[in-house]
Amino acid sequence: APGSMRLELGPQASLVAIDPGTREVLAMVGGYDALPGMFNRATRAQRQPGSAFKPFVYSYALASRRFTLASAIDPNPGCFGTGPTAWCPAEAHAHRDGLEPAMRLREALAQSRNMVAARVIEALGPEAVGTHARALGITSPLPTDLSLALGTGSVTPAELTNAYATWASGGHYQDWMIIRRVVDPNGREVPLPARAPVREAVSPAEAWLVTSALTSVIDRGTARAARSLNRPAAGKTGTTNRNIDAWFVGYTPDLVAGVWVGFDDRAPLGNGEEGSRAALPVWTAFMRDYLRARRPPSLEFRRPEGVNVVRVDPATGLLPPGDGGVVPGFATPIEEYFLAGTEPHEAAPVDAGPPVDVVSADAPPSEAPGLVLPIENPVAPAAESDGGDPPPPDAAVAVDATAEPSAP
């Protein structure tokens, strides 16, 4: 009997581009169906951000003054809780040949390490992190357990992009705006409701430090492909369990853009389709077209007052041993940025052990005060996710909102 065939549609995607200074929406794509009444995924699709949420954890960590970008945290596998309710986050990038030394927060964010984010939120408390995220612009309900660190709450692309714009604008939050004015049939301008005033969500120094950390994601982390823009940029990839959602949200000093890719029915995107492969190329292509069309000047993220730079030992995040020069058995000291008053005052002990060469001396500033959290209930490294080996892979992991927090 004759059969019928149907063309299988590919995944959907959305993009939102916002001016961080005015919060005007400069571009918005709600899907590939340009039809009247179409479902606008940019403003209505509730999707898990995965590791694209980690910057909110580190933003609060910095604002709390309990951590700095140089804080050294245990990245090794572990569990939170005991028994059948224990949560043991998977770690796609864990070493398979023994325990790893402590990892500085900047590097943990650049490499999207799950255990570091989980240990930081355990120390801070998920409720406090959620409150901080709402101050930055997240409006959707958020979970109150530790899985929040890995992006298990659902958000819309518009709200996530606008929250990133708070860091890009120097810490100031305002609702995004898409309508400038309305004119009636007679040509008279119709008054619009007054916009809520701008408010400071974080200080300029705190916002700049988050931006500085996010530049490392592009410089040497999961979003290295965006270096092809050849100008300062910051951002974060995100991927959820089984590659169901792929994200990249990033910005230059004058434009913030967020990209989400996924199926409406939450089917997996496929092997290897992580944020760095599925969403980042869309973002990079859009930004390249924007730069070619508008030709904005290549601006740096200007460092505000209240941020100091200090040379630290890359293995411990403490001051270098000795007089600050090169000491046999220690790596070359590196520069890191600190909120004024949070700089380390203790020198790394001479018997601290051989350092880990996690960043070259000429790389952008990395991090470290020597806060090291012990591993709890160590477990064997979890199997790597089914994301294949995209260049570069993203370690983001999130769980379905209806499922018990776990990792693939």
Side-chain angles (χ1 to χ4, degrees):
S4 62
M5 300 183 68
R6 179 176 60 89
L7 179 65
E8 180 68 23
L9 298 179
Q12 284 286 352
S14 70
L15 180 147
V16 182
I18 296 175
D19 181 326
T22 65
R23 299 305 174 97
E24 292 183 2
V25 174
L26 303 182
M28 179 177 287
V29 179
Y32 58 64
D33 301 314
L35 301 172
M38 63 168 281
F39 180 69
N40 187 348
R41 293 161 188 84
T43 60
R44 299 178 62 189
Q46 291 278 339
R47 309 295 296 220
Q48 293 178 325
S51 284
F53 189 83
K54 286 176 182 172
F56 297 93
V57 178
Y58 294 132
S59 177
Y60 181 64
L62 297 172
S64 73
R65 281 23 179 208
R66 297 176 59 186
F67 294 84
T68 74
L69 291 179
S71 295
I73 309 298
D74 180 7
N76 291 286
C79 294
F80 300 89
T82 59
T85 61
W87 180 51
C88 307
E91 189 66 84
H93 295 164
H95 289 183
R96 301 294 187 255
D97 54 356
L99 294 179
E100 297 180 71
M103 176 175 284
R104 291 169 289 118
L105 253 62
R106 181 186 293 270
E107 301 308 319
L109 181 62
Q111 302 302 327
S112 204
R113 296 299 297 265
N114 291 338
M115 284 305 304
V116 173
R119 288 194 164 99
V120 170
I121 200 171
E122 182 190 35
L124 298 170
E127 295 87 354
V129 171
T131 298
H132 184 76
R134 283 187 284 274
L136 290 164
I138 298 299
T139 57
S140 297
L142 295 172
T144 57
D145 55 47
L146 298 182
S147 72
L148 175 64
L150 306 188
T152 58
S154 295
V155 298
T156 68
E159 72 176 294
L160 186 63
T161 303
N162 196 44
Y164 271 63
T166 300
W167 295 312
S169 68
H172 298 100
Y173 173 78
Q174 191 172 30
D175 293 337
W176 55 271
M177 179 182 69
I178 201 167
I179 298 175
R180 287 181 176 176
R181 66 192 191 113
V182 176
V183 178
D184 69 16
N186 297 317
R188 292 188 296 267
E189 188 167 328
V190 178
L192 295 175
R195 295 181 69 188
V198 177
R199 58 174 174 79
E200 184 177 280
V202 292
S203 72
E206 293 163 355
W208 187 88
L209 277 182
V210 175
T211 295
S212 176
L214 291 173
T215 63
S216 296
V217 179
I218 292 176
D219 290 339
R220 56 182 181 272
T222 58
R224 292 190 298 273
R227 291 183 299 182
S228 62
L229 293 176
N230 294 319
R231 63 176 52 214
K236 185 69 187 77
T237 51
T239 314
T240 59
N241 280 3
R242 296 166 45 226
N243 299 338
I244 289 175
D245 298 281
W247 295 80
F248 185 76
V249 186
Y251 52 93
T252 60
D254 61 328
L255 184 67
V256 185
V259 173
W260 165 83
V261 178
F263 286 99
D264 288 339
D265 62 0
R266 290 177 166 77
L269 287 167
N271 187 40
E273 296 301 323
E274 301 178 343
S276 57
R277 174 173 284 180
L280 179 59
V282 179
W283 184 89
T284 304
F286 171 80
M287 293 297 290
R288 184 176 293 114
D289 288 345
Y290 164 76
L291 296 174
R292 186 182 299 117
R294 298 293 181 89
R295 298 185 181 277
S298 181
L299 302 175
E300 298 285 343
F301 295 106
R302 184 178 301 176
R303 175 158 56 110
E305 294 183 358
V307 176
N308 296 331
V309 60
V310 177
R311 289 171 64 82
V312 299
D313 168 45
T316 64
L318 300 174
L319 297 175
D323 59 2
V326 177
V327 175
F330 282 80
T332 302
I334 57 175
E335 292 185 337
E336 182 53 278
Y337 297 112
F338 296 87
L339 293 174
T342 66
E343 307 89 342
H345 299 288
E346 180 183 353
V350 177
D351 60 351
V356 180
D357 186 15
V358 293
V359 60
S360 62
D362 60 350
S366 26
E367 343 55 318
L371 175 59
V372 181
L373 301 181
I375 185 170
E376 296 181 2
N377 303 323
V379 297
E384 199 164 297
S385 68
D386 58 355
D389 54 353
D394 182 10
V397 178
V399 300
D400 294 336
T402 57
E404 181 181 357
S406 61

